[in-house]
Amino acid sequence: MLSTTSEYGLLGVRDVDFRLDRYPPSPDLAELVERHWVVTWALPPGRRASVTLLPHPCVNVVLDRGMLAVAGVGRERFTYAYTGEGRVFGTKFRPGAFLPFLGRPVSTITDVTLPAARLWGPPADALAASMTGPVPELIAQMEGFLRARWPEPDPQVAVVGRIVAALLCDREVARVEDIVARFEIPARTLQRLFARYVGVSPKWVLRRYRLHEAAARLAEEQDRPWAEVAAELGYFDQSHFIRDFGAAIGLTPAAYAQACRRREEPVSA
């Protein structure tokens, strides 16, 4: 199975006050489902914490505070604040793989989080109410729910997956034009395909994956020149990299690396 999801996305360097666990889907669901994930935390009384994320080009079904929601692709970073003890469970779909469930262009839910019952009716609320057990039970319940609603095969999902894998993994792909040439698909057709299946443009996906990796490298290698990181990721125009990084992260590359060195929360909501 081609890799279609970046492992990056959490911003900054921080004390570990939460746990993130990832679980593969059952093989019969892996064509559309990338993985399940669970975030857990237990903070002492009076302490508050937060985590800032730069989202992937994926749709998630998320159980948080007893509510089940469908989260479309988020284009902006967001900060999740938490206190006390808690758990969030999610199922992440491969880029382009949620359209068969949604039944309309995924762009219609970009930057939108809607109650799962709006898509699946009262059974979604019943599922949410029942998901209170250990993680293996949560996974089994979610997978059973999805199997009962599994859509007919859509060959375009695989096409989108191959393109996304190239955007994620292939350093020779530096521009959308490289995808057009490699897959012999007209640029306008590619744009329409991504709007319908992914919810964002191929240029946005390419930029987001590169910025994910840039932020991770600057957090891990805080004394490394940011211009060197930018060049390795295909940004040969430094002003272009600074502009893209600042728009996504909220800080210049240099300021972000400094915040990571000080182990400060690098961005806010």
Side-chain angles (χ1 to χ4, degrees), residues 130-197:
S130 70
M131 295 179 72
T132 59
V135 172
E137 290 184 10
L138 301 187
I139 293 173
Q141 288 174 285
M142 177 59 70
E143 291 195 339
F145 185 86
L146 293 175
R147 284 191 185 97
R149 292 155 182 82
W150 201 251
E152 292 296 320
D154 182 342
Q156 292 292 78
V157 170
V159 173
V160 170
R162 289 194 293 272
I163 295 172
V164 170
L167 292 168
L168 170 62
C169 301
D170 194 337
R171 284 290 174 267
E172 294 183 2
V173 174
R175 305 175 305 160
V176 173
E177 290 78 6
D178 297 328
I179 291 294
V180 169
R182 176 172 302 185
F183 288 89
E184 299 181 341
I185 181 171
R188 292 187 65 182
T189 301
L190 179 64
Q191 295 288 346
R192 289 194 297 268
L193 185 69
F194 266 61
R196 179 167 176 76
Y197 281 82

Side-chain angles (χ1 to χ4, degrees), residues 28-105:
D28 62 311
L29 306 186
E31 181 181 358
L32 302 183
V33 176
E34 182 79 33
R35 63 183 171 225
H36 307 285
W37 54 267
V38 180
V39 175
T40 54
W41 64 89
L43 301 182
R47 181 179 174 186
R48 297 180 61 84
S50 63
V51 58
T52 301
L53 303 98
L54 200 60
H56 298 130
C58 303
V59 174
N60 286 262
V61 175
V62 181
L63 178 68
D64 184 11
R65 301 179 177 96
M67 302 295 294
L68 191 68
V70 175
V73 177
R75 288 177 290 191
E76 305 296 330
R77 67 185 182 274
F78 73 93
T79 298
Y80 185 92
Y82 51 97
T83 187
E85 296 186 16
R87 176 176 72 176
V88 179
F89 172 84
T91 295
K92 175 179 283 188
F93 292 78
R94 296 183 182 277
F98 196 72
L99 181 138
F101 292 97
L102 187 64
R104 64 180 188 270

Side-chain angles (χ1 to χ4, degrees), residues 100-111:
F101 292 97
L102 187 64
R104 64 180 188 270
V106 177
S107 58
T108 62
I109 61 168
T110 296
D111 293 323

